[in-house]
Amino acid sequence: MSARCAAREARRCGAPGRYISTLGDVFPALGTPGSGDDTADWTARAAAFVPPVLPESPAFQQALDLARTLARQGDTDEAWTVIETALPHWHSDSPHRIAPVILLTDPVLSDLITPDRARRIVTTPRGEGRG
């Protein structure tokens, strides 16, 4: 196989190291390679990472805030009622957000979500009263 064919095959097959230069722009080097401290640096960076908060419609955000307050006070049934009432008003401008995932990722609200409630979340018609 010629060197040209070998290079093309390596690109096609995703040879090891193929994306190193690209990833280096996204993930700057931490620590000194091979010194053993790069794992600790990456672990510290991952622990400190805070994902961006995705914006919710004002009406749905108000319901989330009220539900969190109720749940913290121990009134979990009322907190769920607030969320359930607000579900038809949830919407996203992204085709990749098909449900209010915040209900599963928020440490307070996720405790409210049972399998039956999760089904209710994904089967509630949405879009009425956008905003």
Side-chain angles (χ1 to χ4, degrees), residues 80 104 109-121:
W80 168 249
L104 298 176
L109 300 176
S110 64
D111 290 341
L112 304 174
I113 309 305
T114 64
D116 287 337
R117 289 175 176 176
R119 279 188 285 282
R120 174 83 171 123
I121 291 166

Side-chain angles (χ1 to χ4, degrees), residues 75-88:
D75 197 350
T76 56
D77 289 336
E78 184 61 26
W80 168 249
T81 299
V82 168
I83 291 169
E84 187 176 33
T85 302
L87 283 173

Side-chain angles (χ1 to χ4, degrees), residues 56-75:
E56 301 292 352
S57 67
F60 195 71
Q61 186 61 56
Q62 280 184 316
L64 293 176
D65 295 341
L66 177 56
R68 274 188 204 96
T69 300
L70 291 167
R72 285 185 184 117
Q73 294 171 353
D75 197 350

